[in-house]
Amino acid sequence: MTDTHTQAGFKLGSFSAAGSEAFAGLLRDDQVIALHVLKKVAEGNGLQLSGSESVYALLQNWQSNFAVLCETLALADQNGALDWTPLSSLKVHAPVELPRQIFCTGANYFKHVVDMLVSMGPGAQPATAGMTPAELRTYAENLMQERAATGSPYVFSKIPSAVTGPYDPVILPALASQPDWELELAVVIGKPARHVSREDAADYIAGYTIANDITSRDLIWCKEPKAMGTDWVSSKNSPTFLPLGPYLVPAAFVADPQQLQIVLKLNGEVMQDETTSDMIFDIARQIEYISSRVQLWPGDIICTGSPAGNGIHYGRYLRDGDVMEASITGLGEQRNPCVAEARALMR
């Protein structure tokens, strides 16, 4: 099979025309072709493409399917055999709408965590009592450097029913007063992974997408009994609390996932603007750690942490009528309006 990866750059997603069911498609140059159409073209050339009914299904045999997609596109380009649909005429859904598992890595951007520790002020921990602000920052930076060298990622899970589309409304639940944004680079797993080494981690990545791990800050900590600690179900998993997409970009077309710019705007104002190079634990280390604890499967999502500039930093949380616009280099853009739950139910 010919190596056509470099000449066949494309993105994968879930799309629908007005009044029609969603279909899995391939996007190139703002034009979309359904995967079931590519399947027929592949079969006509003696190639086998499986799982064309959804991106999730395609991921179950990713390595073979990716090679077939590249080969099929190259052959079709030679013959002019494909009838493309303009992206502008389609609705875009989350590329993987019902992943089996979603994992999130918390407190994983150096500047973000240092800023949080500094904002707590001297004396928040016994070791920082009496420190000047400059001494406190130096202490926090040294602490995070030590964590990066000898520590482990902090990982929790999010449920699939929180997933929503990249342009769909985010519903702000009535029981929360501090819903916050957390824009993140998301990794999509491409084959079963268990006890994967850091050196081999890249082989298990199908591609990348954009995730916004919405969090109700006021619901993170258990009220009764307080000793129980965090309440991730209440704070992280409301419906629509994980805008995902717009597309899955195959890993072969992302030159360096640790050098991508993450930008989130709230009503046009930049709130987050950071590069993925600021991660404390890089993507490979996260896959190594998570796969040492659990079994990862194709289609699983890993949200790799959010940089500085969350609402908690500004003391400004999401409100009815807000609009979040998010982008990551080469992966596309999200645009999610925020709607209060009571108003959403009246629709």
Side-chain angles (χ1 to χ4, degrees):
M1 188 172 291
T2 305
D3 185 1
T4 58
H5 295 183
T6 57
Q7 66 191 48
F10 57 80
K11 302 172 183 177
L12 298 166
S14 179
F15 309 91
S16 64
S20 301
E21 292 186 359
F23 64 90
L26 181 149
L27 171 69
R28 191 175 65 177
D29 299 328
D30 292 327
Q31 301 285 316
V32 176
I33 188 79
L35 290 187
H36 66 80
V37 173
L38 287 177
K39 177 180 173 67
K40 292 179 181 178
V41 176
E43 291 173 345
N45 287 278
L47 304 171
Q48 295 298 316
L49 182 69
S50 62
S52 61
E53 63 270 21
S54 70
V55 175
Y56 178 83
L58 189 79
L59 289 165
Q60 303 313 303
N61 190 22
W62 173 247
Q63 194 165 13
S64 172
N65 283 334
F66 176 64
V68 169
L69 284 173
C70 292
E71 184 80 359
T72 301
L73 279 178
L75 292 169
D77 285 343
Q78 293 172 13
N79 302 326
L82 298 179
D83 184 17
W84 297 80
T85 299
L87 174 64
S88 59
S89 67
L90 300 171
K91 175 179 172 61
V92 181
H93 304 268
V96 184
E97 294 198 84
L98 283 175
R100 190 182 305 192
Q101 300 180 113
I102 302 167
F103 297 97
C104 300
T105 301
N108 194 46
Y109 274 75
F110 189 87
K111 184 177 184 297
H112 179 207
V113 179
V114 168
D115 284 351
M116 284 198 303
L117 292 174
V118 171
S119 69
M120 294 168 65
Q125 304 175 40
T128 65
M131 286 185 178
T132 66
E135 290 171 337
L136 181 56
R137 180 165 293 277
T138 298
Y139 168 83
E141 290 173 350
N142 291 339
L143 193 65
M144 286 305 103
Q145 289 169 353
E146 180 181 352
R147 180 182 172 220
T150 62
S152 299
Y154 173 56
V155 180
F156 56 90
S157 59
K158 197 150 179 160
I159 60 177
S161 64
V163 172
T164 193
Y167 309 115
D168 293 336
V170 167
I171 309 304
L172 308 178
L175 78 166
S177 62
Q178 296 179 344
D180 198 353
W181 57 87
E182 293 191 50
L183 186 60
E184 311 196 12
L185 173 65
V187 173
V188 184
I189 297 298
K191 61 181 180 180
R194 179 75 170 131
H195 295 299
V196 175
S197 71
R198 194 170 186 169
E199 293 72 23
D200 294 335
D203 295 338
Y204 292 81
I205 300 173
Y208 303 92
T209 190
I210 302 173
N212 193 348
D213 174 26
I214 309 296
T215 304
S216 295
R217 297 288 178 192
D218 53 316
L219 301 181
I220 288 179
W221 300 103
C222 292
K223 303 297 188 292
E224 295 294 338
K226 291 184 178 180
M228 296 300 290
T230 50
D231 182 357
W232 293 132
V233 170
S234 298
S235 61
K236 293 277 189 180
N237 290 290
S238 295
T240 75
F241 263 35
L242 191 66
L244 193 67
Y247 316 111
L248 184 156
V249 179
F253 308 138
V254 178
D256 186 352
Q258 299 294 165
Q259 293 293 334
L260 304 179
Q261 200 71 24
I262 294 181
V263 179
L264 183 135
K265 297 179 182 179
L266 181 67
N267 303 328
E269 181 180 356
V270 174
M271 310 303 278
Q272 291 183 284
D273 188 359
E274 188 57 82
T275 173
T276 52
S277 64
D278 196 46
M279 286 185 189
I280 296 171
F281 300 104
D282 65 13
I283 293 165
R285 175 66 178 119
Q286 293 181 54
I287 291 174
E288 178 184 63
Y289 176 81
I290 296 170
S291 70
S292 74
R293 265 59 179 176
V294 303
Q295 174 71 57
L296 290 170
W297 296 107
D300 285 354
I301 306 291
I302 299 175
C303 300
T304 59
S306 188
N310 307 125
I312 193 172
H313 172 78
Y314 300 101
R316 196 322 191 166
Y317 301 100
L318 294 172
R319 306 167 186 157
D320 184 44
D322 283 344
V323 176
M324 294 180 290
E325 297 171 290
S327 65
I328 297 180
T329 310
L331 304 187
E333 300 177 349
Q334 297 182 348
R335 187 181 190 277
N336 298 99
C338 297
V339 181
E341 185 174 34
R343 189 161 67 86
L345 294 174
M346 291 172 60
R347 291 184 171 184

